[in-house]
Amino acid sequence: MSGPSQVKDIEIPDIKGGGRAMLVEYLASGARPDSDWKIGTEHEKFGFRTDDLRPPTFDGERGIEALLKGLVQFGWTPVEEKGRVIALTRDEASVSLEPAGQLELSGAPLATLHDTCVEAATHLREVRTVAEPMGLGFLGMGFQPKWRRDEMPWMPKGRYKIMREYMPKVGSLGLDMMTRTSTVQVNLDVRDEADMVRKFRVSLALQPIATALFADSPFTEGQPNGYLSYRSHIWTDTDRDRTGLLDFVFEDGFGYERYVDYLLDVPMYFVYRDGEYIDASGQSFRDYLDAKLPAYPNQRPTLKDWADHTTTAFPEVRLKKYLEMRGADSGPWNRICALSAFWVGLLYDAEALDAAWDLVLDFTPAERHALRDGVPKHGFQLPFRDSNVLELSRRALEISAHGLKRRARLNGHGADESIYLEPLMEFVALGKSPAERKLELFHGAWGGNVDAVFKEFAY
């Protein structure tokens, strides 16, 4: 989730007047030559008060707003909504808030994975510097391990108020998605439409593999929940109009135009005007193009509205002006780097991309859905054909490592970037995900008390 876009306010004509072509061009305009490809890493984390482990509220001396204000000392510029600091910006990066105060770093577009890791480490060091005197800590996991939904705070952002009221109308777990999940994502560039299509298909088919590798949400309200990635399961009953595997991506003729048609059919959340969020939840962007939006009649959308709307679809892979990988649970510092490394290795090297495509090209729609729906509970042990997801993960990691090593040789990116895959290699070698390791601790050394996770796994 992100705040209002900074795209120029250019009015979009109706479909007959070229509006659809303008929407397609907006997405296509992100294409760039290989030499300009960058890596944009995002990660979310749960805040907690170190004395009672409760999530911090927005207000107060130990609140999230106070934390944001404290980070200003490191050169961040505050972003306000109705006089409240709800985000920060610095150069091309931002710090923002998820609905229950999960703190998100949206990193700058960077050239190498080494840069990405430095950025993440710098951010976590800055956060610790401010948070520790406040009695706050931060934890990277996919799902809040201890507190109930009604015990989670809400941040004072207009966008989230609209979503909070709409979510229960379209699914049973949307409010859990908003308040009790955290993820790590990477945004990657494309060369042209054909490159976008190939990368979209590969990453969508392999997203369950990322879910298995990064599975780290086995607890709900202090007890095992029966899943390894409960965060991933939550997306299956959040809002089917804007989530899922997007089978049409694998159909002949897929390209920017088909994705625009998909986005036009995703129900709207809001229109942002003059600092206010206008509730347009459930309404149609197609009607908006025809100046017939009930919530904002006789008005046409701008490119800024379209940019905002692209952020309200939540498929497993999301296309904006780049591709966004959305299948992984949040985790510790080294897995922030590992997530970006996994996908850069697969998608930013031509040989690796070809090998990854060979790996998934004959997956049937039924198999893709079986992987998506089965991995959150079974992880590596989910059967697949004559083997299982563990073997698929091993093969995907081998391809990624090859891609990273070749990328270093060809592009001169310094030290071998495949080193960032080491945590994932360890999980595959042991056949155990981060979630399974935590479950072993819960049933062993922790004596059935999940509170230990806040001490042992905090940043």
Side-chain angles (χ1 to χ4, degrees), residues 106-404:
S106 296
L110 301 171
T112 74
L113 291 165
H114 310 305
D115 297 333
T116 289
C117 285
V118 169
E119 177 188 60
T122 299
H123 166 71
L124 293 173
R125 183 174 64 250
E126 292 174 355
V127 169
R128 281 195 304 271
T129 299
V130 177
E132 286 180 355
M134 297 172 64
L136 299 179
F138 283 88
L139 172 70
M141 285 186 70
F143 190 77
Q144 164 59 246
K146 182 174 177 67
W147 302 105
R148 299 189 310 269
R149 182 198 296 174
D150 62 5
E151 294 173 305
M152 301 301 291
W154 283 88
M155 301 296 103
K157 296 176 66 172
R159 174 182 178 132
Y160 295 157
K161 180 178 184 296
I162 292 169
M163 293 174 65
R164 180 181 185 179
E165 294 172 354
Y166 181 70
M167 284 292 182
K169 302 175 183 178
V170 291
S172 67
L173 298 176
L175 295 181
D176 283 318
M177 181 278 291
M178 294 181 72
T179 60
R180 295 202 286 177
T181 65
S182 286
T183 186
V184 56
Q185 302 170 178
V186 62
N187 305 318
L188 297 177
D189 289 314
V190 300
R191 179 187 309 110
D192 50 30
E193 186 171 45
D195 186 54
M196 180 276 292
V197 171
R198 172 69 68 92
K199 287 175 176 173
F200 207 149
R201 289 172 173 169
V202 166
S203 57
L204 204 52
L206 288 177
Q207 212 61 220
I209 304 308
T211 300
L213 287 164
F214 289 82
D216 198 356
S217 43
F219 304 114
T220 299
E221 296 163 22
Q223 296 296 320
N225 54 32
Y227 290 84
L228 301 177
S229 178
Y230 189 61
R231 181 207 62 83
S232 182
H233 169 69
I234 279 173
W235 282 108
T236 65
D237 193 12
T238 290
D239 182 347
R240 294 185 184 276
D241 289 331
R242 65 185 80 242
T243 62
L245 276 180
L246 307 186
D247 289 331
F248 65 83
V249 170
F250 298 92
E251 295 174 357
D252 291 343
F254 172 70
Y256 288 118
E257 290 190 13
R258 180 65 184 86
Y259 194 80
V260 163
D261 290 339
Y262 158 73
L263 283 177
L264 287 173
D265 289 329
V266 170
M268 294 179 65
Y269 280 147
F270 60 82
V271 175
Y272 186 74
R273 282 294 183 279
D274 302 321
E276 298 285 343
Y277 285 90
I278 301 168
D279 188 347
S281 55
Q283 297 178 26
S284 167
F285 205 95
R286 293 182 188 274
D287 288 343
Y288 198 7
L289 284 172
D290 290 334
K292 296 178 181 178
L293 191 69
Y296 197 48
N298 303 314
Q299 301 292 327
R300 294 195 185 281
T302 66
L303 275 183
K304 182 177 179 299
D305 292 322
W306 179 244
D308 288 342
H309 185 62
T310 66
T311 72
T312 66
F314 306 127
E316 295 293 290
V317 177
R318 180 161 66 184
L319 174 63
K320 294 194 274 192
K321 289 188 175 184
Y322 43 81
L323 289 171
E324 179 182 270
M325 311 301 142
R326 299 175 49 81
D329 287 358
S330 188
W333 171 83
N334 64 352
R335 291 213 303 274
I336 297 170
C337 304
L339 187 279
S340 296
F342 179 67
W343 290 113
V344 167
L346 289 170
L347 304 183
Y348 271 12
D349 173 73
E351 286 186 11
L353 183 57
D354 286 344
W357 177 238
D358 288 342
L359 181 63
V360 305
L361 67 86
D362 66 343
F363 286 10
T364 67
E367 286 175 329
R368 290 194 295 267
H369 283 273
L371 287 169
R372 168 63 186 91
D373 295 339
V375 158
K377 180 179 283 287
H378 302 289
F380 290 142
Q381 302 313 313
L382 181 72
F384 184 79
R385 296 183 177 175
D386 58 353
S387 185
N388 56 22
V389 167
L390 180 63
E391 180 57 29
L392 271 180
S393 300
R394 181 179 291 110
R395 293 171 66 185
L397 278 173
E398 289 172 354
I399 295 169
S400 177
H402 168 80
L404 291 173

Side-chain angles (χ1 to χ4, degrees), residues 46 48 50 128 137-140 332 452-459:
F46 296 109
F48 63 92
T50 53
R128 281 195 304 271
F138 283 88
L139 172 70
V453 76
F454 291 92
K455 180 177 181 181
E456 295 190 25
F457 288 91
Y459 288 111

